[in-house]
Amino acid sequence: MSYAEDYKKYRGKCKEFCEALIIERPELTMVRGHYFEISWGRDEAHWWCTEPDGTIVDPTSKQFPSGGMVENYTPYSGFSDCEECGKSIPEARIIMQGRYTMCSDRCAMKLVGLL
Ligand SMILES: [Zn+2]
């Protein structure tokens, strides 16, 4: 399959592919976090699975041009950084501005140039 076909098939479906895989292989653990895609230059929210020994099993790695390089997976820590001021914020307090994470309305307004 070409990359374009893989992209269409797997893009945004990481969670459902993991859920299906884990039914067949209950020894796996589902992990939420992000994947840094080098050719896009950004982190993508992502789900994958790990073996009991920690080996990554990613049923949708083909949605990324770099194809799931082990060193680019980062499990979610429960915190995100504000895109504006860089402050680390717990998930419950994150304000989403488009696809950006913000610590406060003030930072969200700064991002769009209103402050
Ligand atoms: Zn901020």
Side-chain angles (χ1 to χ4, degrees):
M1 268 211 292
S2 71
Y3 171 67
E5 285 165 325
D6 284 335
Y7 183 87
K8 245 186 175 162
K9 181 172 177 195
Y10 297 117
R11 182 72 181 146
K13 308 245 175 64
C14 38
K15 192 178 177 203
E16 55 187 270
F17 272 89
C18 284
E19 283 166 349
L21 181 64
I22 219 161
I23 291 168
E24 287 166 39
R25 300 189 52 194
E27 77 278 14
L28 298 178
T29 305
M30 266 180 81
V31 183
R32 177 168 68 120
H34 55 256
Y35 181 79
F36 183 76
E37 175 48 55
I38 303 168
S39 59
W40 300 339
R42 64 168 195 255
D43 275 325
E44 289 284 301
H46 190 46
W47 286 86
W48 62 92
C49 298
T50 53
E51 307 259 14
D53 68 0
T55 306
I56 290 169
V57 181
D58 183 354
T60 65
S61 63
K62 285 181 176 162
Q63 70 181 286
F64 302 113
S66 65
M69 292 162 71
V70 176
E71 61 271 33
N72 295 350
Y73 289 86
T74 309
Y76 184 60
S77 64
F79 289 83
S80 282
D81 295 337
C82 174
E83 297 275 349
E84 181 63 33
C85 69
K87 198 161 92 183
S88 184
I89 9 163
E91 182 177 33
R93 295 188 37 216
I94 290 171
I95 298 168
M96 290 305 295
Q97 175 76 36
R99 62 181 187 87
Y100 298 103
T101 51
M102 298 282 135
C103 71
S104 61
D105 288 335
R106 190 181 163 77
C107 278
M109 284 170 77
K110 267 191 190 165
L111 180 86
V112 294
L114 293 174
L115 264 185

